[in-house]
């Protein structure tokens, strides 16, 4: 038998251990396997072990690749920036979009989706207020959440963030705490709990810290697909 070409089992074990340290149930956090740049064969080898949830960051790549994976029952999330002219295609290939950061984009999703099956989205927050980064600023999050809630055809489900870059996982902890606090503030301001269920935060180098701080979706690419 060939050596496994991925680290899925090891990452799952580390996620369970992080849940244990945080006193959380292991099923309270889901692994989003980020498959950008990976081949259909690599994706299938991970799916074969039971991984269901995958993510891509570009609509074009997803459109070319998802049909080639040809594994039934997989769930695909879009985690990268979305241009309004790609919304129609995105809705065909993805079951959730993590990167909604403007009312114009939310309106386009609402307009293109089926009003009887509101399309689930997360609001991307630029938690570090970095000039070049996507995401709504924290102090504008409440207004955007309220605006999304008025639209038919789109269902707000929570928050997503990419914190300021650091090689140190611990450096991300205050940013993950800030996103969880923002969620609490939005709830206190009247945004309903069902619109704030998910916290999408944590990547290969800091997902354990994110789980300790309340992540419900961790987006892990290189650590899953790297050779074991
Ligand atoms: C690529 C990507 C990830 C995964 O990054 P890794 O460091 O490979 O785990 C997570 N989130 C977003 C938005 C990405 O583009």
């Amino acid at each position: 038998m060939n050596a496994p070409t991925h680290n899925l089992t090891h990452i799952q074990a580390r996620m369970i251990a992080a849940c244990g340290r945080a006193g959380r149930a292991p099923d309270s956090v889901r692994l989003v396997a980020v498959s950008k740049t990976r081949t259909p064969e690599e994706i299938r080898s991970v799916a074969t072990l039971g991984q269901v949830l995958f993510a891509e960051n570009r609509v074009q790549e997803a459109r070319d690749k998802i049909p080639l994976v040809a594994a039934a029952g997989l769930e695909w999330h879009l985690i990268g920036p979305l241009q309004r002219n790609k919304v129609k295609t995105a809705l065909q290939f993805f079951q959730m979009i993590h990167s909604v950061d403007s009312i114009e984009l939310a309106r386009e999703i609402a307009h293109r989706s089926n009003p009887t099956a509101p399309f689930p989205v997360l609001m991307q927050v630029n938690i570090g207020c970095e000039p070049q980064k996507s995401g709504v600023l924290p102090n504008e999050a409440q207004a955007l959440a309220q605006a999304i809630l008025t639209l038919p055809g789109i269902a707000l489900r929570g928050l997503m963030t990419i914190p300021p870059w650091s090689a140190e996982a611990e450096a991300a902890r205050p940013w993950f705490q800030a996103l969880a606090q923002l969620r609490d503030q939005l709830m206190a301001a009247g945004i309903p709990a069902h619109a704030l269920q998910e916290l999408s935060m944590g990547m290969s180098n800091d997902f354990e810290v994110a789980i300790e701080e309340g992540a419900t979706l961790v987006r892990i690419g290189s650590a899953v697909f790297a050779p074991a």
Side-chain angles (χ1 to χ4, degrees):
M1 250 192 75
N2 294 327
T5 55
H6 56 73
N7 259 319
L8 180 69
T9 350
H10 181 54
I11 297 298
Q12 288 168 333
R14 286 172 58 187
M15 287 176 61
I16 291 169
C19 284
R21 286 196 298 279
R24 299 182 57 187
D27 64 359
S28 67
V29 47
R30 285 199 295 163
L31 168 59
V32 183
V34 179
S35 53
K36 66 185 182 209
T37 76
R38 308 295 166 176
T39 64
E41 189 186 21
E42 288 176 289
I43 297 168
R44 275 195 299 268
S45 77
V46 170
T48 302
L49 289 190
Q51 177 65 26
V52 168
L53 178 51
F54 291 86
E56 291 283 333
N57 70 333
R58 291 176 57 238
V59 175
Q60 180 68 49
E61 183 177 343
R63 180 174 69 182
D64 294 345
K65 199 162 64 181
I66 290 175
L68 301 178
V69 175
L74 300 187
E75 184 181 343
W76 292 90
H77 289 188
L78 178 64
I79 59 174
L82 177 58
Q83 290 166 347
R84 267 180 283 164
N85 62 8
K86 299 235 173 77
V87 165
K88 189 173 172 219
T89 310
L91 296 190
Q92 288 165 13
F93 289 97
F94 294 102
Q95 286 79 55
M96 183 184 274
I97 294 172
H98 290 219
S99 48
V100 173
D101 63 357
S102 74
I103 188 60
E104 292 79 13
L105 179 57
R107 277 202 197 103
E108 185 64 16
I109 293 169
H111 172 65
R112 297 274 176 191
S113 75
N114 177 353
T116 61
F119 191 89
V121 301
L122 306 181
M123 189 167 71
Q124 182 171 353
V125 180
N126 182 356
I127 199 70
C129 302
E130 294 172 277
Q132 298 304 324
K133 206 165 238 177
S134 301
V136 65
L137 293 171
N139 65 5
E140 293 166 357
Q142 186 183 331
L144 180 56
Q146 278 162 342
I148 294 174
L149 287 170
T150 67
L151 297 171
I154 184 169
L156 183 62
R157 288 285 161 73
L159 308 178
M160 178 272 221
T161 201
I162 307 169
W165 190 88
S166 167
E168 279 293 313
E170 276 302 321
R173 189 182 298 276
W175 301 116
F176 296 148
Q177 289 172 339
L179 194 72
Q181 275 163 18
L182 179 63
R183 186 261 328 269
D184 295 345
Q185 285 163 16
L186 294 176
M187 219 177 296
I191 306 294
H194 65 76
L196 295 167
Q197 290 164 40
E198 306 284 3
L199 285 182
S200 168
M201 58 187 193
M203 317 200 311
S204 286
N205 67 338
D206 55 18
F207 69 90
E208 287 150 313
V209 175
I211 289 171
E212 288 166 13
E213 299 303 334
T216 64
L217 295 166
V218 286
R219 309 179 309 268
I220 308 181
S222 42
V224 163
F225 285 94

